[in-house]
């Protein structure tokens, strides 16, 4: 296992120390952008070879990064990356330099350069992203299962060249990165479907498959960087050597209210996969706007999970697959009544997986995985995985926690059985 990142408390202290001469957003920005500069120099993703050993050197690396691909131009925008307008004192720079000196944030593991830890570091640094927008990284082992329940069957049906997925609350892109890898090496029933494709073609195809939207402009920029960094590192080139026309389809918008953003076009996606925010919006005006836009689900003091569910259903094409890890509070509280009794029954519910007993880092709220197809209910079977007891103690490796392992094993066993049944049925059709 990799050396862990410094603790959440250490990240907070870093921001407090930097924020003595500059404001907190600029302090978060300096702290994170310096980590990005280290990451792209360490992995040779930009022409710069000079290590970011001073504030000016960090700015030079970020300037190169911003011109490496059109999708990264936002790194020059002080509205998104406010470190441009806030000079750092020499003393503050020393604190910052020492914080990243261990190199843990650049350490993506032996097989991948996907900026996974940069995402976690942003969550740890930005109290604003955590508190006002509910940024909470979705662990890759959860993302993987959500995709097995949605993107994989969608790809089996639509084909890898045409399939499209979106995460409308994509944060720094943990689900998008898993979807990218899954699309890149897609295999249909054991056969390497894209085996004839070159690495370039399979990466371009994966970039065409994956779409994301988030309210947080910096998280969006980071998700774009991660997709491009991963693509470049697989091809063993720098980001500026990737074709500039390759798409990075991640946009900043309010997914619930923005009807102009092209990526939020309704009925467009074969798979919609998300870990949406669960918070109740504090601002009463925003809450009213959302209530008006989603009258079928937003009742009382609704959490964002409910309008997000309706949004996800509306983004899916007819028959599309929707998988979400969401709060289970709607099952227990009055605001969930209308949602359960009037809204959900119109759709084909496939799976209800109780994850409330699993230990999911950062997710204090009890959760559930819901999987639907966007069509009227078919038959009268819904597959459920019901919790019996919670995790006895915090597992050392949450991906191998007892409860999560039992959930993931039972879901995968059932998926394998269903695939076998389908294969036997199509074999007997042919015979
Ligand atoms: C639980 S996090 C998702 C994290 C993401 N799956 C990841 O691993 O990085 C919820 C995300 O919803 C975003 N969000 C909150 N309200 C939003 C809105 N109205 N439109 C779009 N995104 C929103 C937050 O910025 C946050 O990134």
């Amino acid at each position: 296992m990799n050396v862990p990142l410094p603790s959440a408390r250490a990240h907070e202290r870093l921001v407090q120390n930097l924020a003595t001469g500059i404001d907190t957003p600029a302090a978060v920005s300096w702290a994170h952008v310096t980590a990005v500069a280290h990451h792209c120099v360490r992995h040779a993703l930009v022409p710069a070879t000079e290590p970011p050993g001073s504030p000016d050197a960090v700015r030079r690396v970020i300037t190169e990064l911003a011109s490496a691909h059109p999708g990264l131009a936002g790194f020059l925008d002080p509205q998104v990356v406010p470190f441009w307008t806030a000079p750092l004192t020499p003393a503050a720079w020393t604190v910052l330099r020492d914080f990243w000196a261990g190199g843990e944030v650049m350490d993506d593991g032996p097989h991948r350069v996907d900026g996974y830890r940069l995402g976690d570091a942003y969550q740890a640094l930005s109290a604003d992203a955590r508190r006002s927008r509910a940024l909470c990284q979705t662990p890759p082992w959860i993302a993987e299962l959500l995709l097995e329940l949605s993107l994989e069957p969608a790809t089996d049906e639509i084909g890898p060249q045409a399939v499209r997925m979106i995460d409308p609350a994509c944060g720094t892109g943990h689900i998008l990165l898993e979807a990218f890898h899954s699309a890149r090496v897609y295999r249909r029933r054991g056969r390497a479907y894209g085996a004839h494709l070159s690495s370039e073609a399979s990466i371009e195809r994966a970039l065409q498959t994956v779409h994301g939207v988030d309210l947080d402009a910096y998280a969006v920029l980071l998700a774009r960087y991660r997709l491009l960094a991963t693509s470049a590192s697989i091809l063993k080139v720098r980001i500026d050597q990737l074709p500039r026309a390759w798409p990075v389809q991640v946009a900043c918008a309010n997914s619930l209210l923005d009807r102009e953003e092209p990526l939020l076009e309704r009925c467009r996606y074969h798979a919609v996969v998300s870990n949406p925010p669960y918070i109740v919006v504090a601002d009463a005006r925003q809450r009213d706007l959302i209530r008006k836009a989603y009258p079928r689900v937003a009742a009382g003091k609704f959490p964002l999970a409910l309008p997000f569910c309706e949004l996800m259903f509306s983004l899916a094409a007819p028959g599309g697959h929707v998988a979400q890890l969401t709060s289970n509070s709607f099952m227990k509280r009055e605001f969930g009544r209308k949602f359960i009794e009037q809204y959900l029954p119109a759709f084909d519910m496939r799976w209800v997986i109780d994850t409330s007993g699993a230990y999911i880092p950062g997710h204090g709220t009890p959760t559930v995985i819901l999987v639907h197809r966007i069509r009227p209910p078919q038959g009268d079977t819904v597959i459920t995985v019901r919790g019996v007891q919670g995790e006895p103690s915090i597992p050392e490796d949450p991906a191998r926690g007892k409860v999560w392992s039992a959930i993931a094993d039972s879901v995968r066993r059932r998926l394998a059985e269903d695939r076998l049944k389908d294969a036997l049925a199509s074999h007997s059709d042919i015979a």
Side-chain angles (χ1 to χ4, degrees), residues 268-290:
R268 179 154 190 256
Y269 297 94
H270 310 105
V272 184
V273 188
S274 201
N275 171 202
Y278 327 137
I279 48 171
V280 175
V281 175
D283 181 71
R285 206 184 128 265
Q286 273 285 317
R287 233 182 14 245
D288 281 348
L289 287 173
I290 297 172

mmCIF file of all heavy atoms in Angstrom, residues 268-290:
data_model
loop_
_atom_site.group_PDB
_atom_site.id
_atom_site.type_symbol
_atom_site.label_atom_id
_atom_site.label_comp_id
_atom_site.label_asym_id
_atom_site.label_seq_id
_atom_site.Cartn_x
_atom_site.Cartn_y
_atom_site.Cartn_z
ATOM 1 N N ARG A 268 -29.888 11.866 -23.161
ATOM 2 C CA ARG A 268 -28.719 11.716 -24.033
ATOM 3 C C ARG A 268 -27.794 10.549 -23.638
ATOM 4 O O ARG A 268 -27.020 10.080 -24.460
ATOM 5 C CB ARG A 268 -27.942 13.033 -23.962
ATOM 6 C CG ARG A 268 -26.693 13.057 -24.778
ATOM 7 C CD ARG A 268 -26.290 14.437 -25.195
ATOM 8 N NE ARG A 268 -25.222 14.327 -26.168
ATOM 9 C CZ ARG A 268 -23.946 14.555 -25.894
ATOM 10 N NH1 ARG A 268 -23.592 14.924 -24.677
ATOM 11 N NH2 ARG A 268 -23.041 14.432 -26.820
ATOM 12 N N TYR A 269 -27.879 10.093 -22.396
ATOM 13 C CA TYR A 269 -26.832 9.182 -21.905
ATOM 14 C C TYR A 269 -27.356 7.757 -21.694
ATOM 15 O O TYR A 269 -28.469 7.567 -21.206
ATOM 16 C CB TYR A 269 -26.257 9.739 -20.592
ATOM 17 C CG TYR A 269 -25.588 11.088 -20.852
ATOM 18 C CD1 TYR A 269 -26.288 12.277 -20.672
ATOM 19 C CD2 TYR A 269 -24.296 11.139 -21.342
ATOM 20 C CE1 TYR A 269 -25.702 13.508 -20.953
ATOM 21 C CE2 TYR A 269 -23.701 12.364 -21.629
ATOM 22 C CZ TYR A 269 -24.407 13.535 -21.430
ATOM 23 O OH TYR A 269 -23.815 14.734 -21.730
ATOM 24 N N HIS A 270 -26.493 6.794 -22.051
ATOM 25 C CA HIS A 270 -26.895 5.388 -21.873
ATOM 26 C C HIS A 270 -26.635 4.935 -20.443
ATOM 27 O O HIS A 270 -27.228 3.963 -19.986
ATOM 28 C CB HIS A 270 -26.112 4.520 -22.866
ATOM 29 C CG HIS A 270 -26.198 5.060 -24.258
ATOM 30 N ND1 HIS A 270 -25.170 5.715 -24.884
ATOM 31 C CD2 HIS A 270 -27.249 5.103 -25.121
ATOM 32 C CE1 HIS A 270 -25.543 6.124 -26.083
ATOM 33 N NE2 HIS A 270 -26.798 5.763 -26.250
ATOM 34 N N ALA A 271 -25.711 5.620 -19.761
ATOM 35 C CA ALA A 271 -25.464 5.321 -18.342
ATOM 36 C C ALA A 271 -25.291 6.644 -17.593
ATOM 37 O O ALA A 271 -24.559 7.521 -18.049
ATOM 38 C CB ALA A 271 -24.216 4.469 -18.183
ATOM 39 N N VAL A 272 -25.987 6.776 -16.478
ATOM 40 C CA VAL A 272 -25.857 7.958 -15.623
ATOM 41 C C VAL A 272 -25.440 7.427 -14.253
ATOM 42 O O VAL A 272 -26.142 6.583 -13.671
ATOM 43 C CB VAL A 272 -27.182 8.744 -15.526
ATOM 44 C CG1 VAL A 272 -26.991 10.013 -14.714
ATOM 45 C CG2 VAL A 272 -27.717 9.084 -16.918
ATOM 46 N N VAL A 273 -24.302 7.869 -13.783
ATOM 47 C CA VAL A 273 -23.708 7.261 -12.590
ATOM 48 C C VAL A 273 -23.246 8.385 -11.681
ATOM 49 O O VAL A 273 -22.516 9.277 -12.125
ATOM 50 C CB VAL A 273 -22.467 6.411 -12.981
ATOM 51 C CG1 VAL A 273 -21.961 5.621 -11.787
ATOM 52 C CG2 VAL A 273 -22.776 5.499 -14.151
ATOM 53 N N SER A 274 -23.655 8.363 -10.412
ATOM 54 C CA SER A 274 -23.243 9.472 -9.554
ATOM 55 C C SER A 274 -23.312 9.112 -8.076
ATOM 56 O O SER A 274 -23.957 8.142 -7.681
ATOM 57 C CB SER A 274 -24.132 10.698 -9.821
ATOM 58 O OG SER A 274 -23.487 11.870 -9.398
ATOM 59 N N ASN A 275 -22.610 9.935 -7.318
ATOM 60 C CA ASN A 275 -22.695 9.957 -5.858
ATOM 61 C C ASN A 275 -23.073 11.410 -5.573
ATOM 62 O O ASN A 275 -22.226 12.230 -5.295
ATOM 63 C CB ASN A 275 -21.315 9.570 -5.302
ATOM 64 C CG ASN A 275 -21.131 9.740 -3.820
ATOM 65 O OD1 ASN A 275 -20.012 9.844 -3.340
ATOM 66 N ND2 ASN A 275 -22.210 9.788 -3.070
ATOM 67 N N PRO A 276 -24.386 11.720 -5.720
ATOM 68 C CA PRO A 276 -24.795 13.132 -5.683
ATOM 69 C C PRO A 276 -24.682 13.712 -4.277
ATOM 70 O O PRO A 276 -24.546 12.968 -3.307
ATOM 71 C CB PRO A 276 -26.255 13.074 -6.140
ATOM 72 C CG PRO A 276 -26.713 11.716 -5.768
ATOM 73 C CD PRO A 276 -25.520 10.814 -5.902
ATOM 74 N N PRO A 277 -24.742 15.047 -4.154
ATOM 75 C CA PRO A 277 -24.702 15.641 -2.806
ATOM 76 C C PRO A 277 -25.991 15.311 -2.053
ATOM 77 O O PRO A 277 -27.042 15.186 -2.658
ATOM 78 C CB PRO A 277 -24.620 17.143 -3.104
ATOM 79 C CG PRO A 277 -25.177 17.313 -4.478
ATOM 80 C CD PRO A 277 -24.896 16.046 -5.217
ATOM 81 N N TYR A 278 -25.863 15.180 -0.726
ATOM 82 C CA TYR A 278 -27.067 14.854 0.074
ATOM 83 C C TYR A 278 -27.502 16.023 0.953
ATOM 84 O O TYR A 278 -28.475 15.916 1.685
ATOM 85 C CB TYR A 278 -26.846 13.677 1.026
ATOM 86 C CG TYR A 278 -25.925 12.578 0.598
ATOM 87 C CD1 TYR A 278 -25.010 12.038 1.503
ATOM 88 C CD2 TYR A 278 -26.002 12.048 -0.678
ATOM 89 C CE1 TYR A 278 -24.182 11.001 1.132
ATOM 90 C CE2 TYR A 278 -25.161 11.016 -1.051
ATOM 91 C CZ TYR A 278 -24.256 10.491 -0.146
ATOM 92 O OH TYR A 278 -23.435 9.477 -0.508
ATOM 93 N N ILE A 279 -26.739 17.109 0.962
ATOM 94 C CA ILE A 279 -27.040 18.189 1.906
ATOM 95 C C ILE A 279 -28.383 18.871 1.598
ATOM 96 O O ILE A 279 -28.898 18.774 0.481
ATOM 97 C CB ILE A 279 -25.939 19.286 1.896
ATOM 98 C CG1 ILE A 279 -25.603 19.695 0.457
ATOM 99 C CG2 ILE A 279 -24.721 18.846 2.665
ATOM 100 C CD1 ILE A 279 -24.685 20.910 0.354
ATOM 101 N N VAL A 280 -28.904 19.566 2.607
ATOM 102 C CA VAL A 280 -30.059 20.440 2.393
ATOM 103 C C VAL A 280 -29.460 21.810 2.077
ATOM 104 O O VAL A 280 -28.601 22.289 2.812
ATOM 105 C CB VAL A 280 -30.920 20.519 3.679
ATOM 106 C CG1 VAL A 280 -32.059 21.508 3.515
ATOM 107 C CG2 VAL A 280 -31.446 19.139 4.035
ATOM 108 N N VAL A 281 -29.904 22.426 0.969
ATOM 109 C CA VAL A 281 -29.326 23.723 0.593
ATOM 110 C C VAL A 281 -29.716 24.763 1.639
ATOM 111 O O VAL A 281 -30.890 24.895 1.992
ATOM 112 C CB VAL A 281 -29.838 24.150 -0.798
ATOM 113 C CG1 VAL A 281 -29.351 25.542 -1.163
ATOM 114 C CG2 VAL A 281 -29.379 23.164 -1.839
ATOM 115 N N ALA A 282 -28.701 25.502 2.130
ATOM 116 C CA ALA A 282 -28.975 26.462 3.208
ATOM 117 C C ALA A 282 -29.717 27.698 2.680
ATOM 118 O O ALA A 282 -30.597 28.230 3.349
ATOM 119 C CB ALA A 282 -27.650 26.878 3.852
ATOM 120 N N ASP A 283 -29.408 28.106 1.457
ATOM 121 C CA ASP A 283 -29.966 29.330 0.904
ATOM 122 C C ASP A 283 -31.441 29.117 0.486
ATOM 123 O O ASP A 283 -31.742 28.300 -0.398
ATOM 124 C CB ASP A 283 -29.110 29.724 -0.316
ATOM 125 C CG ASP A 283 -29.597 30.999 -0.957
ATOM 126 O OD1 ASP A 283 -29.411 32.047 -0.352
ATOM 127 O OD2 ASP A 283 -30.188 30.919 -2.064
ATOM 128 N N ALA A 284 -32.367 29.884 1.127
ATOM 129 C CA ALA A 284 -33.799 29.635 0.916
ATOM 130 C C ALA A 284 -34.207 29.919 -0.536
ATOM 131 O O ALA A 284 -35.059 29.220 -1.100
ATOM 132 C CB ALA A 284 -34.608 30.504 1.874
ATOM 133 N N ARG A 285 -33.577 30.911 -1.152
ATOM 134 C CA ARG A 285 -33.938 31.260 -2.533
ATOM 135 C C ARG A 285 -33.565 30.107 -3.489
ATOM 136 O O ARG A 285 -34.356 29.700 -4.326
ATOM 137 C CB ARG A 285 -33.200 32.548 -2.935
ATOM 138 C CG ARG A 285 -33.925 33.310 -4.006
ATOM 139 C CD ARG A 285 -33.189 34.549 -4.501
ATOM 140 N NE ARG A 285 -33.099 34.500 -5.953
ATOM 141 C CZ ARG A 285 -32.082 34.029 -6.638
ATOM 142 N NH1 ARG A 285 -31.024 33.562 -6.013
ATOM 143 N NH2 ARG A 285 -32.087 34.006 -7.954
ATOM 144 N N GLN A 286 -32.351 29.578 -3.300
ATOM 145 C CA GLN A 286 -31.904 28.439 -4.114
ATOM 146 C C GLN A 286 -32.847 27.250 -3.924
ATOM 147 O O GLN A 286 -33.236 26.573 -4.861
ATOM 148 C CB GLN A 286 -30.500 27.985 -3.658
ATOM 149 C CG GLN A 286 -29.353 28.702 -4.294
ATOM 150 C CD GLN A 286 -29.134 28.244 -5.736
ATOM 151 O OE1 GLN A 286 -29.195 27.054 -6.034
ATOM 152 N NE2 GLN A 286 -28.929 29.193 -6.621
ATOM 153 N N ARG A 287 -33.205 27.040 -2.629
ATOM 154 C CA ARG A 287 -34.090 25.906 -2.321
ATOM 155 C C ARG A 287 -35.417 26.043 -3.063
ATOM 156 O O ARG A 287 -35.944 25.088 -3.627
ATOM 157 C CB ARG A 287 -34.312 25.847 -0.818
ATOM 158 C CG ARG A 287 -34.008 24.500 -0.281
ATOM 159 C CD ARG A 287 -34.222 24.288 1.188
ATOM 160 N NE ARG A 287 -34.970 25.238 1.936
ATOM 161 C CZ ARG A 287 -34.458 25.993 2.914
ATOM 162 N NH1 ARG A 287 -33.174 25.918 3.188
ATOM 163 N NH2 ARG A 287 -35.224 26.814 3.586
ATOM 164 N N ASP A 288 -35.949 27.284 -3.098
ATOM 165 C CA ASP A 288 -37.227 27.517 -3.787
ATOM 166 C C ASP A 288 -37.099 27.271 -5.280
ATOM 167 O O ASP A 288 -37.979 26.674 -5.903
ATOM 168 C CB ASP A 288 -37.691 28.962 -3.566
ATOM 169 C CG ASP A 288 -38.317 29.103 -2.190
ATOM 170 O OD1 ASP A 288 -38.567 28.046 -1.565
ATOM 171 O OD2 ASP A 288 -38.520 30.241 -1.745
ATOM 172 N N LEU A 289 -35.979 27.746 -5.849
ATOM 173 C CA LEU A 289 -35.777 27.533 -7.291
ATOM 174 C C LEU A 289 -35.751 26.038 -7.609
ATOM 175 O O LEU A 289 -36.365 25.574 -8.569
ATOM 176 C CB LEU A 289 -34.452 28.170 -7.743
ATOM 177 C CG LEU A 289 -34.415 29.695 -7.820
ATOM 178 C CD1 LEU A 289 -33.001 30.185 -8.124
ATOM 179 C CD2 LEU A 289 -35.394 30.188 -8.897
ATOM 180 N N ILE A 290 -35.055 25.287 -6.755
ATOM 181 C CA ILE A 290 -34.955 23.838 -7.000
ATOM 182 C C ILE A 290 -36.329 23.182 -6.806
ATOM 183 O O ILE A 290 -36.757 22.332 -7.589
ATOM 184 C CB ILE A 290 -33.887 23.194 -6.075
ATOM 185 C CG1 ILE A 290 -32.507 23.778 -6.396
ATOM 186 C CG2 ILE A 290 -33.866 21.676 -6.223
ATOM 187 C CD1 ILE A 290 -31.401 23.385 -5.438
#
